Amino acid sequence: MRKILHADCDCFYAAVEMRDNPDLRHVPLVIGGRAESRGVVATCNYPAREYGIRSAMSMAHAQRLCPQLQRLSPDFDKYRQASRQIQNIFNELTPIMEPLSLDEAFLDVTHVERMKGSATWMAQWLKHEVEKRVGITISVGVAPNKFLAKIASDWRKPDGLYIITPDQVIDFLDLLPITRLHGVGPATAKKLEAQGIHTCKELRATELPVLLEEFGKFGVRLHELARGIDERPVKTERERKSISVESTFDKDLPSMTVCQEKIAELVIRLEERLARDRHPAINKLFVKIRFDDFSITTMETAGQTPALESFMPLFDSAWHRAERPIRLLGVGVRLVSEDAQRQLGLF
């Protein structure tokens, strides 16, 4: 039985700023771009969240919700330094660590013998050391796998610690809403709820053939998650799945005709990124549009040549879904997985 930790910093960017300026601790604080430049909230502290402010919200909307809101521009050099300090602490405990971003990581402590092999004591040690050395708090989830550990880390935020032991898994899942399952977005949740499935207990009672018919191969994943099964290993090296570039505009672009020059610039930037990464194997091309009402649409197609003439039809189709002024444009490629490349190498 594995012992997996998921460690997640509490409102990371804001926490670092509050560490450096304690006067910010009890006032609503957001990190992000200026409202007049159409900035968005990168993160916010918990006093700001009491006003309904959330990450990815437009700064203008956040300031309407809380006129006394304090805003700071991101200082990524400072955040990266704090992240390196935290990951060094993680590495003191185990080399089997999978960073997910600057502020969170999975750790496999199954074979760690320190602290009598207690994953709970290890989690407590991590929390104590990060707060002592870095000056911010983290929340940690302890569970037999990654899926459950990630849910557990969010269970008692901020500064939380939640443990799901192997014999507690089914009882914990029984009341867990299906919306908390990894990969279940609004569309999948709506389909499940239409069948009377709202909790993992109800999902577990659904036969696998029914899930396969409704959701294809993702039905197998749903079948497993409802039973607390997740065999994914903690990977010390993460596989890159896509490469993309995007631009947010100070003024909305009124039509796709006006966008053509911007799209050409994006494709050039994407080609430069691919060249720096030594032209990895490409599986699909995709585009992204965010309209002036903040709705987002994406289009993708199979292809291996990230040229302007390949992206333009995708943009045209995506724009016709709403036919509204455009706030953001993005282009990217999905990469061929390492497993697929190995299989192709056999032939």
Side-chain angles (χ1 to χ4, degrees), residues 187-193 195 197 203 209-220 222:
T188 302
K190 186 175 181 180
K191 291 173 70 174
L192 286 166
E193 290 165 356
Q195 299 181 35
I197 302 171
L203 180 58
V210 175
L211 295 175
L212 288 172
E213 182 176 351
E214 189 68 31
F215 301 100
K217 64 180 182 181
F218 187 58
V220 176
L222 291 171

Side-chain angles (χ1 to χ4, degrees), residues 39-68:
V40 298
V41 176
T43 192
C44 60
N45 66 359
Y46 286 89
R49 296 181 192 194
E50 293 177 4
Y51 289 86
I53 296 169
R54 295 290 182 269
S55 298
M57 178 181 288
S58 75
M59 192 61 69
H61 186 199
Q63 290 176 337
R64 285 195 296 270
L65 291 174
C66 179
Q68 69 271 33

Side-chain angles (χ1 to χ4, degrees), residues 48-109:
R49 296 181 192 194
E50 293 177 4
Y51 289 86
I53 296 169
R54 295 290 182 269
S55 298
M57 178 181 288
S58 75
M59 192 61 69
H61 186 199
Q63 290 176 337
R64 285 195 296 270
L65 291 174
C66 179
Q68 69 271 33
L69 192 64
Q70 297 286 316
R71 184 197 67 83
L72 293 176
S73 296
D75 185 343
F76 289 109
D77 288 339
K78 181 161 61 174
Y79 306 150
R80 279 190 284 267
Q81 181 182 6
S83 177
R84 283 192 293 270
Q85 290 177 279
I86 294 166
Q87 292 188 14
N88 287 339
I89 295 170
F90 293 166
N91 271 311
E92 289 180 25
L93 185 62
T94 175
I96 309 176
M97 178 189 68
E98 180 181 344
L100 302 177
S101 61
L102 288 177
D103 63 340
E104 64 173 317
F106 286 113
L107 296 86
D108 188 333
V109 297

Side-chain angles (χ1 to χ4, degrees), residues 199-319:
T199 66
C200 285
K201 183 176 183 178
E202 293 166 341
L203 180 58
R204 197 163 56 247
T206 306
E207 296 292 336
L208 178 57
V210 175
L211 295 175
L212 288 172
E213 182 176 351
E214 189 68 31
F215 301 100
K217 64 180 182 181
F218 187 58
V220 176
R221 183 71 174 149
L222 291 171
H223 179 81
E224 292 175 343
L225 293 180
R227 289 158 175 77
I229 300 170
D230 180 14
E231 301 297 340
R232 292 176 300 157
V234 174
K235 296 181 178 180
T236 54
E237 294 184 4
R238 296 187 67 202
E239 179 183 357
R240 176 177 284 185
K241 297 182 179 179
S242 65
I243 297 174
S244 63
V245 296
E246 60 184 40
S247 290
T248 300
F249 306 107
D250 290 337
K251 294 184 178 180
D252 295 333
L253 305 182
S255 69
M256 279 306 300
T257 302
V258 179
C259 290
Q260 288 184 1
E261 181 179 340
K262 304 296 184 183
I263 294 169
E265 293 172 1
L266 284 170
V267 173
I268 292 172
R269 285 171 51 195
L270 178 63
E271 290 171 341
E272 291 171 348
R273 286 279 306 275
L274 292 169
R276 286 200 300 270
D277 288 326
R278 299 181 180 181
H279 297 285
I282 296 170
N283 181 32
K284 292 182 178 181
L285 314 177
F286 69 89
V287 302
K288 172 183 174 182
I289 296 178
R290 177 180 288 142
F291 296 103
D292 63 336
D293 62 352
F294 287 89
S295 63
I296 296 175
T297 189
T298 60
M299 291 283 291
E300 65 178 45
T301 185
Q304 299 178 332
T305 306
L308 180 60
E309 56 268 24
S310 302
F311 285 112
M312 283 307 301
L314 292 177
F315 272 113
D316 191 57
S317 298
W319 183 75

